[in-house]
């Protein structure tokens, strides 16, 4: 975008600000723009545009959502702490504490050193979610930021495109759904799909366009028929055809194994009226004109979704056998459906959100409890995906109160949602008046009654396998942690011994103090018994403990074997030689006797182009030249970069991380590990998960000698059935 383009955008920003917030609000927005433009001066986006265009676009999205002036100001300033020399204190002095807190909540943690890029990303998410629990506007700014970044994703490399698209579908689109901001949700999903499966996306676009043209005349006939009937009944209404977004069609085809031709609801009909009374009147008229499909009527007006969405949904069939969906809502409901929480915003003029809205957002408060109890980064994000992003079921207490739970939840989840003691004392449950087992899966509309007993011995360990909500899991773990520490210690030790034995080790071999100390520090424990107890009550998994201990043991075994072979004389001779490189086979140009370490963020291996970075007190950190962390180094720090090269003398193995994207199926991991074993490739860590499209995402850390060997491994893995893509993980 040229200078004139920027000026036009700023003019648009100012015009909309004056219209929405008056002269005083306009001055705040202008002041923020001047501050951001000065701070970002000289910075460019990947597209080559001046960076300032990004915060301006974010502010315009926030205005479209109807947010208050402080949120828009924070949107303009959201990158200044992270990318420039502006401090949080300066923002507070210039724009007030409210704006400063919002900017701080959105700011990533890129200036803190982490062991891996993944840990940094997960901790940034944790920080953002905790800030969001205190002020929901943080996540709305982040959604606007992500939306504009996706709109300009074409300018970054393919790996980054795929990474951002997957992260959006797993975190940000579901969050937009949970907040009811469908206008943003649909666009996030469709753009992400375009980069995850370009061929599938454009094929779908073409098919949808053709089919919509076919059905357009039919839908118009339906609208005219309904409009004529409503006019006769003197019901004022706006009727329109609503196209489904591409991702929802794609997901339905993928999840339900349907061909495109089997998807009938590409267009739904939306009826918007003036009152709730009119909604039900229109529903009655629709059901007299066309026959309703049993089981396909949903009343979200009487029982709204947790994200405040309200509407009547019904699917009907005409005399020719054509099916179509009709949605009926008021104008207020329509605004909520489009803009979610932003449609109800009450921060204007310094007021806090209403009590009613505050209650609807009570689920966010749980985040504060979770983040203090879940010390593992990945577990924190996984709990968010389960509790916040899964489909919901709505069940009733015997008194008629509505409780919403994730799909798949059972009576125990319901019990702990009511009260901790009801969960702990639960001995049985009735659903719709009949006794059911505790692993029964609740359905929308069920009336649930929990049977308790004062003589109950408390939760069973098996309950942890049954419950679905994080709230229930945490309460059960807390009970075991508090009530049965000694039992947990014994149980945890047994579990670790059994798992270590299964992997071919004796637990006592792995329990050197220097290997245990990092685990104690990471999880805030004081002794080995604390680790045993945590494993016993489910706070830690055996793999979280053993992966690290086994890696340290292997490293120790290699060192001792090497020392035995060399002998004392060879060791002395080696020590007497001037060191120009560390044992990792890297030469630092012009520098002797300096510690050299491989950077974990990008894990270079022989054959990669590399560069060194002189750290403060930790020697030279060696990165791949395409490492993202190097690109983020400020101009003032560039003098720390030094030339390094592979010596060619070392035959050691190096860690390299790859990611596999595959169709999820049984024995997939076994086939992958078998392929690696046949190639005699060492595997040091595995992290497997599934995304919202039911694809398996598997990250492997491999022991590799050079890039040629790594490329060979990746070629072989691509031959494994159902593997869609294999690529190397960058920082």
């Amino acid at each position: 975008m040229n200078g004139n383009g920027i000026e036009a955008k700023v003019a648009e920003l100012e015009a909309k600000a004056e219209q929405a917030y008056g002269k005083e609000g306009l001055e705040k927005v202008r002041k923020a723009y001047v501050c951001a433009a000065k701070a970002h001066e000289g910075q460019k986006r990947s597209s080559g545009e001046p960076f300032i265009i990004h915060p301006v676009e974010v502010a315009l999205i926030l205005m479209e959502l109807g947010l208050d002036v402080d949120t828009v100001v924070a949107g303009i300033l959201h990158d200044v702490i992270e990318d420039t020399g502006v401090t949080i204190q300066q923002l507070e002095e210039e724009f007030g504490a409210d704006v400063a807190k919002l900017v701080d909540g959105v700011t990533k943690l890129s200036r803190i050193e982490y062991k891996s890029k993944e840990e940094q990303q997960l901790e940034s998410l944790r920080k953002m979610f905790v800030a969001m629990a205190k002020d929901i506007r943080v996540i709305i700014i982040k959604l606007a930021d992500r939306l504009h970044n996706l709109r300009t994703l074409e300018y970054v490399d393919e790996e980054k495109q795929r990474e951002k698209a997957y992260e959006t579908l797993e975190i940000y689109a579901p969050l937009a759904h949970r907040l009811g901001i469908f206008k943003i949700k649909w666009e996030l999903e469709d753009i992400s799909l375009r980069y995850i499966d370009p061929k599938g996306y454009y094929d779908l676009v073409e098919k949808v366009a053709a089919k919509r043209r076919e059905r357009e005349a039919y839908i118009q006939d339906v609208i005219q028929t309904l409009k004529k009937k409503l006019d006769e009944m003197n019901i004022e209404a706006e009727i329109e055809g609503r196209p489904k977004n591409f991702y929802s069609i794609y997901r339905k085809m993928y999840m339900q194994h349907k061909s495109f031709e089997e998807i009938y609801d590409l267009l739904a009909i939306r009826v918007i009226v003036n009152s709730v009374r009119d909604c039900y009147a229109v529903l009655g008229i629709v059901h007299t004109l066309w026959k309703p499909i049993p089981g396909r009527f949903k009343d979200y007006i009487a029982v709204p979704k947790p994200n405040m969405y309200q509407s009547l949904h019904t699917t009907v069939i005409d005399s020719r056998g054509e099916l179509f969906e009709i949605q009926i809502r008021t104008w207020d409901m329509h605004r909520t459906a489009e803009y979610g929480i932003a449609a109800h915003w009450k921060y204007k003029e310094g007021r806090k959100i209403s009590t009613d809205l505050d209650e609807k957002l009570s689920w966010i408060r749980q985040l504060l409890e979770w983040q203090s109890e879940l010390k593992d980064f990945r577990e924190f994000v996984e709990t968010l995906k389960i509790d916040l992003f899964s489909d919901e079921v709505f069940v009733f207490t015997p008194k008629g109160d509505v409780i919403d739970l994730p799909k798949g939840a059972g009576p125990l989840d319901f019990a702990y949602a009511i009260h901790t003691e009801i969960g702990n004392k639960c001995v049985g449950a009735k659903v719709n008046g009949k006794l059911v087992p505790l692993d029964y899966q609740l359905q929308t509309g069920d009336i649930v009654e929990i049977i308790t007993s004062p003589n109950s011995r408390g939760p069973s360990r098996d309950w942890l396998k049954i419950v679905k909500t994080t709230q229930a899991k945490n309460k059960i773990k807390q009970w075991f942690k508090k009530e049965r520490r000694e039992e947990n210690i014994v149980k945890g030790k047994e579990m670790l011994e059994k798992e270590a034995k299964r992997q071919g080790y004796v637990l006592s071999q792995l329990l050197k103090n220097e290997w245990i100390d990092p685990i104690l520090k990471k999880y805030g424990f004081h002794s080995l018994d604390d680790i045993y107890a945590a494993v016993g009550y489910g706070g830690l998994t055996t793999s979280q403990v053993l992966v690290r201990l086994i890696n340290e043991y292997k490293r120790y075994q290699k060192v001792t074997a090497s020392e035995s072979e060399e002998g004392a004389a060879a060791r002395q001779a080696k020590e007497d030689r001037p060191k120009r490189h560390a044992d990792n086979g890297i030469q630092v140009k012009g520098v002797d006797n300096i510690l050299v370490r491989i950077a974990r963020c990008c894990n270079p291996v022989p054959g990669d182009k590399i560069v060194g970075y002189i750290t403060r007190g930790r020697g030279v950190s060696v990165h791949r030249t395409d490492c993202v962390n190097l690109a983020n180094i400020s101009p003032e720090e560039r003098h720390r970069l030094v030339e390094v090269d592979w010596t060619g003398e070392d035959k050691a193995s190096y860690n390299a991380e790859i990611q596999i994207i595959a169709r999820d199926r049984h024995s997939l991991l076994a086939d992958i590990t078998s392929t690696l074993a046949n190639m005699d490739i060492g595997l040091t860590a595995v992290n497997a998960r599934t995304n919202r499209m039911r694809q398996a995402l598997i990250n492997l850390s491999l022991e590799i000698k050079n890039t040629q060997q790594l490329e060979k491994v990746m070629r072989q893995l691509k031959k494994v059935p159902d593997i869609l893509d294999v690529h190397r993980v960058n920082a």
Side-chain angles (χ1 to χ4, degrees):
M1 186 175 289
N2 58 31
N4 291 335
I6 296 169
E7 288 171 10
K9 280 292 175 186
V10 174
E12 181 185 351
L13 177 72
E14 291 184 349
K16 289 184 175 179
E18 185 172 14
Q19 184 181 356
Y21 315 120
K23 294 287 185 185
E24 190 178 337
L26 171 61
E27 287 309 310
K28 282 186 180 180
V29 170
R30 275 180 176 160
K31 184 179 176 183
Y33 172 75
V34 169
C35 175
K38 184 178 178 182
H40 292 299
E41 191 173 3
Q43 294 180 355
K44 300 279 188 183
R45 304 198 80 223
S46 300
S47 61
E49 297 173 317
F51 188 88
I52 189 62
I53 197 66
H54 170 63
V56 169
E57 291 281 12
V58 169
L60 286 167
I61 293 169
L62 293 170
M63 279 188 190
E64 188 182 348
L65 292 173
L67 272 296
D68 61 297
V69 69
D70 277 355
T71 310
V72 172
V73 166
I76 295 170
L77 299 167
H78 78 273
D79 274 325
V80 296
I81 296 178
E82 185 178 341
D83 294 338
T84 76
V86 177
T87 66
I88 192 75
Q89 290 78 16
Q90 287 173 301
L91 288 186
E92 190 167 345
E93 288 170 12
E94 290 289 320
F95 301 97
D98 211 25
V99 169
K101 284 177 185 173
L102 289 172
V103 175
D104 186 47
V106 181
T107 301
K108 295 180 204 162
L109 304 173
S110 55
R111 292 186 177 178
I112 300 173
E113 188 168 339
Y114 291 99
K115 291 174 185 173
S116 69
K117 180 69 173 177
E118 181 185 36
E119 186 174 311
Q120 177 183 322
Q121 288 173 326
L122 293 176
E123 183 59 10
S124 290
L125 284 172
R126 182 204 284 264
K127 176 178 182 280
M128 184 182 71
F129 283 124
V130 173
M132 160 186 153
K134 296 174 182 174
D135 193 329
I136 192 66
R137 292 176 295 175
V138 167
I139 197 62
I140 300 178
I141 296 169
K142 187 61 190 175
L143 288 172
D145 171 54
R146 176 52 60 105
L147 178 57
H148 183 249
N149 279 331
L150 280 195
R151 286 173 177 173
T152 55
L153 206 56
E154 63 192 279
Y155 298 105
V156 302
D157 63 71
E158 198 173 312
E159 184 180 332
K160 192 86 167 177
Q161 288 174 348
R162 193 165 45 231
E163 177 193 321
K164 292 297 180 188
Y166 275 117
E167 186 182 52
T168 299
L169 286 181
E170 291 196 333
I171 301 292
Y172 295 103
L175 255 177
H177 173 86
R178 197 66 163 88
L179 295 172
I181 311 175
F182 291 100
K183 192 175 183 67
I184 283 184
K185 178 204 173 196
W186 292 327
E187 189 173 351
L188 290 176
E189 288 177 338
D190 284 354
I191 297 174
S192 297
L193 177 60
R194 196 198 319 164
Y195 290 103
I196 287 172
D197 185 359
K199 186 176 181 299
Y201 172 81
Y202 287 110
D203 182 50
L204 187 59
V205 168
E206 193 175 314
K207 287 179 177 176
V208 167
K211 194 164 183 179
R212 274 188 189 155
R213 281 193 294 272
E214 283 177 28
R215 289 183 62 82
E216 200 70 52
Y218 172 73
I219 290 294
Q220 285 305 315
D221 284 346
V222 171
I223 290 174
Q224 289 303 319
T225 302
L226 182 55
K227 179 69 175 165
K228 183 180 178 183
K229 195 70 175 175
L230 294 183
D231 288 344
E232 288 174 12
M233 304 297 292
N234 292 318
I235 295 175
E236 190 179 327
E238 182 172 306
I239 311 173
E240 61 184 10
R242 180 192 67 82
K244 277 210 165 190
N245 72 314
F246 297 117
Y247 178 74
S248 64
I249 300 168
Y250 182 94
R251 193 161 182 260
K252 183 176 279 192
M253 290 167 62
Y254 194 92
M255 301 284 282
Q256 298 178 13
H257 305 290
K258 289 185 174 183
S259 67
F260 177 77
E261 287 67 31
E262 294 175 280
I263 307 294
Y264 65 87
D265 54 347
L266 295 177
L267 281 171
I269 293 168
R270 180 182 292 151
V271 184
I272 307 174
V273 294
N274 294 325
S275 68
V276 172
R277 186 177 181 178
D278 285 348
C279 288
Y280 289 100
V282 171
L283 179 69
I285 291 168
V286 167
H287 286 176
T288 59
L289 290 172
W290 302 284
K291 187 176 180 180
I293 302 295
R296 294 300 302 269
F297 168 65
K298 293 171 184 170
D299 187 343
Y300 294 121
I301 294 179
V303 184
K305 290 187 177 184
N307 58 20
M308 298 175 287
Y309 177 86
Q310 288 184 287
S311 193
L312 298 176
H313 290 198
T314 185
T315 301
V316 294
I317 186 168
D318 70 3
S319 57
R320 295 181 296 174
E322 291 272 7
L323 280 75
F324 54 93
E325 183 184 65
I326 295 181
Q327 300 173 356
I328 309 162
R329 62 180 68 148
T330 67
W331 285 103
D332 280 346
M333 293 173 192
H334 181 60
R335 278 188 288 273
T336 300
E338 292 287 300
Y339 300 110
I341 182 177
H344 291 258
W345 206 251
K346 305 288 185 184
Y347 272 92
K348 298 181 178 88
E349 299 172 10
R351 290 177 290 161
K352 293 295 180 186
I353 55 177
S354 66
T355 305
D356 181 52
L357 186 58
D358 192 55
E359 286 174 6
K360 286 177 167 53
L361 295 171
S362 60
W363 57 271
I364 300 173
R365 240 70 73 203
Q366 296 171 357
L367 292 169
L368 290 174
E369 182 182 339
W370 297 345
Q371 70 91 22
S372 63
E373 293 177 2
L374 300 176
K375 296 180 179 179
D376 181 72
F377 302 107
R378 192 174 291 106
E379 187 182 0
F380 177 75
V381 174
E382 288 305 314
T383 58
L384 285 166
K385 290 179 188 176
I386 293 167
D387 275 28
L388 301 186
F389 308 155
S390 57
D391 294 331
E392 302 100 356
V393 293
F394 304 93
V395 295
F396 297 89
T397 67
K399 292 182 178 180
D401 295 327
V402 180
I403 304 293
D404 63 280
L405 296 166
K407 193 172 183 179
L412 288 170
D413 297 289
F414 176 89
Y416 280 105
I418 300 297
H419 195 278
T420 302
E421 279 307 300
I422 292 177
N424 288 340
K425 298 293 183 183
C426 175
V427 293
K430 288 183 179 179
V431 174
N432 303 325
K434 295 180 181 178
L435 282 170
V436 296
L438 292 179
D439 61 357
Y440 172 87
Q441 290 194 4
L442 297 173
Q443 306 296 318
T444 293
D446 283 345
I447 300 171
V448 188
E449 181 184 349
I450 300 299
I451 304 167
T452 61
S453 169
N455 301 319
S456 166
R457 295 180 61 190
S460 158
R461 291 187 189 279
D462 291 335
W463 287 10
L464 287 169
K465 300 173 186 174
I466 296 173
V467 295
K468 291 286 186 270
T469 63
T470 305
Q471 182 182 15
K473 279 191 172 79
N474 283 347
K475 298 302 181 186
I476 295 167
K477 289 175 183 178
Q478 283 174 8
W479 189 89
F480 279 108
K481 184 178 180 180
K482 183 179 177 183
E483 302 290 331
R484 298 190 179 178
R485 178 173 166 81
E486 294 305 316
E487 180 186 324
N488 290 333
I489 291 171
V490 173
K491 176 77 173 175
K493 187 176 181 182
E494 286 176 358
M495 290 168 68
L496 286 169
E497 285 175 339
K498 184 177 179 181
E499 181 60 21
K501 186 177 179 181
R502 191 185 70 79
Q503 296 192 40
Y505 299 93
V506 177
L507 184 62
S508 58
Q509 291 177 311
L510 308 175
L511 298 180
K512 290 174 74 77
N513 286 339
E514 58 266 37
W515 303 344
I516 295 170
D517 285 345
I519 299 175
L520 295 175
K521 186 177 179 182
K522 180 175 182 179
Y523 295 108
F525 296 142
H526 300 290
S527 67
L528 182 58
D529 279 353
D530 288 344
I531 295 177
Y532 289 151
V535 173
Y537 72 74
L540 279 180
T541 63
T542 54
S543 63
Q544 283 174 306
V545 177
L546 288 177
V547 165
R548 182 153 198 158
L549 292 178
I550 290 171
N551 283 343
E552 292 295 337
Y553 178 76
K554 284 180 177 178
R555 196 173 289 119
Y556 171 77
Q557 290 290 85
K558 283 183 180 179
V559 170
T560 51
S562 173
E563 287 180 351
S564 298
E565 290 170 9
E566 287 175 359
R571 269 201 315 276
Q572 188 61 48
K574 187 177 179 182
E575 287 169 8
D576 290 342
R577 286 200 306 269
K579 290 186 181 178
R580 290 188 60 80
H581 60 87
D583 291 338
N584 44 33
I586 294 171
Q587 169 115 16
V588 181
K589 187 174 180 180
V591 182
D592 293 335
N593 282 337
I594 188 168
L595 175 66
V596 178
R597 63 187 180 89
I598 299 289
R600 291 190 183 181
C601 53
C602 54
N603 289 319
V605 300
D608 285 326
K609 292 180 180 179
I610 53 176
V611 65
Y613 176 77
I614 302 172
T615 64
R616 291 180 174 87
R618 299 180 67 188
V620 173
S621 174
V622 177
H623 298 256
R624 282 159 45 189
T625 54
D626 62 351
C627 177
V628 173
N629 285 340
L630 288 182
N632 292 331
I633 293 175
S634 65
E636 294 78 19
E637 298 281 305
R638 289 279 165 187
H639 70 278
R640 294 178 174 274
L641 299 178
V642 294
E643 286 187 41
V644 292
D645 204 356
W646 303 104
T647 64
E649 300 169 10
D650 200 286
K651 300 298 181 185
S653 293
Y654 298 79
N655 245 0
E657 187 177 357
I658 62 172
Q659 184 178 77
I660 296 170
I661 302 172
R663 296 185 186 90
D664 197 18
R665 63 169 170 84
H666 291 298
S667 304
L668 175 64
L669 198 55
D671 290 349
I672 290 169
T673 53
S674 174
T675 300
L676 295 174
N678 291 338
M679 298 180 72
D680 198 25
I681 299 297
L683 180 61
T684 59
V686 179
N687 174 27
R689 60 201 184 281
T690 56
N691 61 20
R692 281 166 59 81
M693 293 162 64
R694 297 290 173 88
Q695 291 173 330
L697 304 180
I698 304 171
N699 282 51
L700 304 176
S701 288
L702 309 175
E703 292 182 342
I704 294 293
K705 294 192 181 299
N706 50 47
T707 52
Q708 289 84 2
Q709 186 184 39
L710 180 60
E711 287 164 4
K712 184 179 178 183
V713 169
M714 291 166 69
R715 282 196 302 272
Q716 288 300 113
L717 287 173
K718 284 179 181 177
K719 296 177 183 177
V720 174
D722 292 315
I723 287 184
L724 305 173
D725 186 34
V726 182
H727 60 272
R728 191 171 176 188
V729 175
N730 198 352

